[in-house]
Amino acid sequence: MSVLGVYGVEHASSLVYYGLHSMQHRGQEGCGMVSAEPSGEIHRHRGYGLVQEVFNEEKLSKLEGTMCLGHLLYTTAGGGRNTDNIEPRSFLHNTGSFAIAHNGNIVNAKQIRDYLESKGSLFQSNTNAELLAHLIKKEADEPRIFTIMEALDMLEGSFAFVIMTQNRLYACRDKYGIRPLAIGKLGDGYVVSSETCAFDVMGAEFLRDVEPGEIVTIDHNGLRSRKYSLKSEHNMCAMEYIYFARPDSDIDGCNVHAFRKESGRRLWREAPAEADIVVGVPDSSLSAAMGYAEESGLPYEMGLIKNKYIGRTFIQPSQALREKGVKMKLSAIRSIVEGKRIALIDDSIVRGTTSKRIVNMLREAGATEVHVRIVSPTMKYPCCYGVDTTSQDELISAKHSVEEVCKIIGADTLAFMSVKECLASSNGKCEKMCFACFDGIYPTPMTHDISEINKKK
Ligand code: AMP
Ligand code: SF4
């Protein structure tokens, strides 16, 4: 999922279009935009599909205004299709309309929702945006910033919220610092985005990250900052660096490509492979493969090629579709891999489907040995912060030892990176991160146990 907001720029929706497109890798299920005119009039369009499928010039021309919010939807398995779940959500209220886009997952959502429903609130969707809206509306007699701050402090879990009122944007990040959110400057206006790669395509200049527990108000006075919570921890989702984000993005001051390359170097030191060439699985593992090759002195080769026009396999909802997708997505280059011992670098193993197919593909193309090196630790626990890493039952490393996984995927040898080395790959830029899907240490209070998370998936 990702959020994007533009304040104070002509044709804000066109910029959001380009920004969302640059972050398409974060969610391909659906997308939406809500724009606001200085008069307070709000326009909205949303739909299932990629950004360029949902929006065209005609749709964008109707999204008038100098403020705009955008959202990309990434459905968790079994999430079902309900257009109401596509954000941004907009709300009418006697103190003025507002819209909200969200990235993350609130772990005490059920408790808050039960409480609000018992008080008479009626929900139209399952979105965390609507949950926050109900909390904000509850105390409408105070200035809005205070009701928003109170509402945010009631939420446990991960979030990056962008709230658009008739004349302001509010950018808010969870107090645990799990999900990213950055602010950029664009002419006289501002941009807020889940990933900084959007700033480059929009012509914006990176200003800073929103801090954990912070709410930044953006309006005609510029930027103002407040802390809505005394807590402000840095537990950035390790999977952002490992897999999700684009290599050209900087998250909490650490560049994603630099992180991945360093993790490749460290993985060689932790788990060297006797190989002739290093091959990375495109695209998310290429930076790490470069690091592994550089540190080992082995040649870095393009043994696999990706068809760019197919979405990320994992995001397609059913296993059958996923399997089909893997085949369509990658091909081995015979002239490169034939007769070679390969060190195959991939970012993660979730169910094991991808690795098994790739190892098989390389062998069919003539590789003599395949040594799989994974640039993340073994994934054993479900994520409850908005990343669809599937239920624990389906996580291959939750049920099998490394030796067993090696056999299942058909590799000659297999090694994963340790949590310690993974964290060290930020070169001191991150002191802590969330590694909960790897080590089971969840940085927030948990209002339900893992079996409940599993049931939900
Ligand atoms: P699997 O076949 O289930 O083992 O999937 C592993 C591949 O999925 C990895 O190589 C990653 O590139 C990718 N991946 C890892 N985590 C996610 C995620 N949360 N969403 C989509 N793709 C993912
Ligand atoms: Fe990211 Fe894993 Fe933490 Fe979820 S549990 S936020 S995927 S590191």
Side-chain angles (χ1 to χ4, degrees):
M1 275 194 277
S2 71
V3 291
L4 189 64
V6 167
Y7 175 88
V9 184
E10 290 297 324
H11 307 297
S13 62
S14 306
L15 283 165
V16 170
Y17 173 84
Y18 291 112
L20 286 182
H21 184 256
S22 77
M23 294 195 286
Q24 189 79 77
H25 55 282
R26 299 184 69 87
Q28 294 139 20
E29 198 81 13
C31 50
M33 281 190 215
V34 174
S35 71
E37 296 196 58
S39 61
E41 201 176 337
I42 276 189
H43 309 278
R44 180 171 75 167
H45 183 68
R46 60 188 176 174
Y48 278 98
L50 302 175
V51 177
Q52 70 220 69
E53 293 165 345
V54 174
F55 294 98
N56 55 29
E57 283 193 28
E58 189 212 330
K59 301 256 161 53
L60 289 177
S61 68
K62 290 182 182 153
L63 288 160
E64 288 177 82
T66 53
M67 280 198 291
C68 187
L69 276 194
H71 186 253
L72 291 171
L73 177 70
Y74 154 96
T75 313
T76 47
R81 282 197 160 194
N82 169 5
T83 325
D84 277 339
N85 286 336
I86 304 180
E87 298 178 15
R89 306 251 333 151
S90 53
F91 307 91
L92 298 173
H93 195 248
N94 55 13
T95 57
S97 310
F98 61 106
I100 303 181
H102 167 251
N103 171 26
N105 189 47
I106 308 298
V107 293
N108 61 346
K110 186 176 179 313
Q111 285 78 356
I112 295 179
R113 192 177 162 136
D114 287 350
Y115 168 75
L116 290 171
E117 282 179 341
S118 74
K119 297 273 167 212
S121 292
L122 295 172
F123 282 81
Q124 287 172 353
S125 72
N126 282 326
T127 60
N128 289 160
E130 193 180 351
L131 189 80
L132 179 64
H134 280 274
L135 283 175
I136 293 172
K137 284 204 293 187
K138 218 175 56 155
E139 323 265 359
D141 47 347
E142 287 181 57
R144 195 169 252 165
I145 178 80
F146 297 115
T147 71
I148 296 175
M149 285 167 62
E150 257 173 60
L152 292 172
D153 206 19
M154 288 171 70
L155 304 177
E156 294 294 348
S158 75
F159 60 79
F161 277 113
V162 187
I163 306 169
M164 181 173 77
T165 66
Q166 282 163 320
N167 48 10
R168 305 198 157 89
L169 283 189
Y170 296 100
C172 332
R173 203 170 147 202
D174 67 78
K175 52 197 168 207
Y176 302 97
I178 300 171
R179 300 258 77 94
L181 191 62
I183 308 176
K185 182 103 185 79
L186 181 56
D188 293 332
Y190 294 91
V191 184
V192 205
S193 173
S194 288
E195 264 193 54
T196 59
C197 66
F199 295 159
D200 296 330
V201 293
M202 297 165 86
E205 185 196 332
F206 170 77
L207 277 184
R208 69 176 180 90
D209 291 294
V210 178
E211 286 298 310
E214 185 187 22
I215 174 166
V216 177
T217 306
I218 303 172
D219 61 13
H220 64 280
N221 291 313
L223 302 184
R224 271 167 302 159
S225 161
R226 284 177 190 269
K227 282 285 166 97
Y228 68 83
S229 170
L230 294 176
K231 197 185 267 294
S232 179
E233 291 179 4
H234 283 274
N235 296 287
M236 178 51 62
C237 165
M239 282 303 277
E240 286 282 354
Y241 291 108
I242 295 166
Y243 168 76
F244 259 110
R246 242 171 65 160
D248 51 336
S249 286
D250 294 330
I251 304 175
D252 276 352
C254 176
N255 172 257
V256 173
H257 167 74
F259 178 96
R260 289 183 187 162
K261 198 160 175 203
E262 179 61 22
S263 68
R265 286 193 193 105
R266 286 173 182 268
L267 185 59
W268 162 260
R269 283 183 242 139
E270 260 197 320
E274 276 190 37
D276 302 311
I277 56 171
V278 178
V279 171
V281 178
D283 290 321
S284 44
S285 308
L286 298 184
S287 306
M290 283 175 206
Y292 196 90
E294 217 172 81
E295 191 70 10
S296 62
L298 295 170
Y300 168 80
E301 275 292 359
M302 200 170 66
L304 292 166
I305 194 137
K306 183 177 174 184
N307 180 351
K308 299 263 183 230
Y309 302 100
I310 294 167
R312 289 186 166 191
T313 52
F314 199 97
I315 289 171
Q316 296 173 22
S318 73
Q319 181 72 9
L321 275 175
R322 250 189 316 269
E323 286 183 13
K324 218 174 181 182
V326 175
K327 255 189 256 158
M328 281 153 49
K329 202 167 100 168
L330 287 174
S331 314
I333 304 181
R334 178 172 284 275
S335 59
I336 292 177
V337 303
E338 196 163 31
K340 298 281 185 354
R341 296 172 303 165
I342 315 252
L344 178 70
I345 313 297
D346 202 356
D347 54 82
S348 54
I349 292 185
V350 184
R351 297 175 181 82
T353 325
T354 312
S355 309
K356 192 173 172 180
R357 287 187 174 277
I358 296 173
V359 170
N360 195 26
M361 197 184 279
L362 289 170
R363 289 204 198 278
E364 278 177 1
T368 53
E369 290 174 23
V370 184
H371 301 276
V372 177
R373 295 293 178 270
I374 303 295
V375 211
S376 64
T378 48
M379 194 180 275
K380 295 182 176 172
Y381 304 89
C383 173
C384 55
Y385 303 126
V387 173
D388 181 18
T389 46
T390 195
S391 70
Q392 205 171 10
D393 291 354
E394 288 183 301
L395 294 174
I396 194 168
S397 296
K399 289 186 295 186
H400 298 282
S401 66
V402 175
E403 293 70 34
E404 286 167 348
V405 175
C406 181
K407 259 205 199 117
I408 296 170
I409 65 170
D412 290 281
T413 65
L414 168 68
F416 291 83
M417 194 167 198
S418 65
V419 167
K420 184 171 155 267
E421 288 301 311
C422 200
L423 179 63
S425 302
S426 77
N427 271 335
K429 296 204 169 76
C430 302
E431 278 179 23
K432 261 172 84 193
M433 274 186 206
C434 173
F435 283 103
C437 50
F438 305 109
D439 62 13
I441 303 170
Y442 292 86
T444 71
M446 296 297 287
T447 51
H448 41 226
D449 62 24
I450 287 172
S451 58
E452 274 185 62
I453 304 170
N454 284 329
K455 263 189 257 152
K456 258 190 6 194
K457 301 248 175 190

